[in-house]
Amino acid sequence: MTYWLVANPEAGDGQKGREFWLEQLANAGITSLEYGSFQEQGWQSQVKAGDIVMVAGGDGSVNAGASLCLERNATLAVLPSGTANDFARNLALPDDPAAVCELVQQGVTQLVDVAEFGDGIFLNVAHVGLGTLPARESQGSAKKLFGRFSYGVELLRRVNAKRGFHAKIQCDQAFVRGHWLSIAVSNGAFFGGGNEIPQATANDGLLDVIAVKPRPLFQLLLTFFLVQFSGKSPRRTSTVVHLKGRRCDILTANEKTVTVDGDAAGKTPLRAMCRKHCLRVIGPEVVSTGEAENSQPGLK
């Protein structure tokens, strides 16, 4: 078995790069390893089944690492270094880097789901509409200043300027159409820097679709806080629709940008499918934000 370290020097505030993690890994007893970079291709063919690919970066870098691990039947180890680190939250990884490296050294693993779309994957969330703006525009000094809260800052700055878009959402046997401000297709329990999806987990074999209708800012904030504090999907609301299913299709009247795990990934239509328990990861457990439901929540 070989340990591979792939570090993104631009991730987060830039303080947790290769040298930082090399020291932490050495303290945990991992001193013999190889290096890789997602800007280079040659090393990836050397990754073998059973190897551990350690990715120091944000969710975009982790996404690339997951793709490689799926292709080579390797194990993914996340060394959280980005702005949001939502996938690390899904795996209940500790905040202490030393503790993360101890888990890698111990080889504590879990199996999680992956969402496939087109020729790509996502681990956390795909966005259409307003939710794509933080990934596209919260960059540079603002991202470093506000950290994971830069996503919320950007949304609040732009929410009143957006009038929404028309789209059809098909999720297994459920179907809804309407005028939306944002549609999120989640593979796990967190997105946008720690916002929780009610009754969700990264290993239930289901996608969660959260579609938000255009409403005044106060009403949107009220709905958001009610959902976050209750931890439950809103069954009856004029603001939010929550669907579950193994497959999800989003068809928009006009082409809309799609982002996945914080990076631009093309245009609509978006067709996603959940592959259950296909990715082996380092982590003590998979977080659940409530009792995962296998039935479709009612349409709102």
Side-chain angles (χ1 to χ4, degrees), residues 114-126:
V114 167
E116 292 183 333
F117 74 101
D119 58 356
I121 66 168
F122 59 92
L123 301 175
N124 295 319
V125 67

Side-chain angles (χ1 to χ4, degrees), residues 25-240:
L25 290 165
N27 290 338
I30 302 174
T31 56
S32 178
L33 47 80
E34 301 287 342
Y35 302 108
S37 168
F38 290 126
Q39 282 68 51
E40 302 173 0
Q41 299 295 322
W43 67 277
Q44 298 185 24
S45 63
Q46 301 177 45
V47 176
K48 294 181 172 54
D51 285 359
I52 296 180
V53 178
M54 303 176 293
V55 179
D59 289 323
S61 298
V62 172
N63 181 300
S67 294
L68 174 61
C69 289
L70 288 171
E71 177 186 340
R72 308 300 296 180
N73 196 25
T75 298
L76 175 67
V78 181
L79 308 181
S81 308
T83 302
N85 299 317
D86 284 314
F87 190 60
R89 288 185 177 86
N90 277 306
L91 305 181
L93 293 182
D95 294 330
D96 181 10
V100 173
C101 293
E102 285 292 338
L103 288 174
V104 178
Q105 194 277 330
Q106 294 166 14
V108 179
T109 64
Q110 300 287 335
L111 289 172
V112 298
D113 306 337
V114 167
E116 292 183 333
F117 74 101
D119 58 356
I121 66 168
F122 59 92
L123 301 175
N124 295 319
V125 67
H127 271 123
V128 179
L130 185 67
T132 66
L133 289 178
R136 292 188 285 159
E137 300 185 11
S138 291
Q139 304 294 330
S141 59
K143 197 170 183 179
K144 294 184 184 300
L145 176 62
F146 294 108
R148 68 184 179 93
F149 298 105
S150 65
Y151 297 106
V153 169
E154 188 59 39
L155 287 179
L156 290 175
R157 187 174 73 84
R158 296 293 296 273
V159 68
N160 285 326
K162 289 293 176 180
R163 298 179 179 178
F165 58 96
H166 290 280
K168 302 175 184 178
I169 306 171
Q170 178 80 47
C171 199
D172 288 355
Q173 301 304 311
F175 173 82
V176 64
R177 72 173 73 199
H179 195 63
W180 312 103
L181 186 66
S182 178
I183 302 175
V185 183
S186 175
N187 179 60
F190 302 97
F191 73 96
N195 297 315
E196 294 185 5
I197 301 287
Q199 287 102 33
T201 181
N203 64 354
D204 61 359
L206 298 172
L207 301 173
D208 286 83
V209 182
I210 306 294
V212 182
K213 300 175 183 179
R215 293 292 184 266
L217 178 59
F218 175 78
Q219 186 174 345
L220 292 172
L221 289 174
L222 179 61
T223 301
F224 170 80
F225 285 119
L226 285 175
V227 171
Q228 293 300 301
F229 283 123
S230 70
K232 297 180 180 179
S233 176
R235 293 291 182 152
R236 296 181 182 273
T237 173
S238 64
T239 305
V240 177

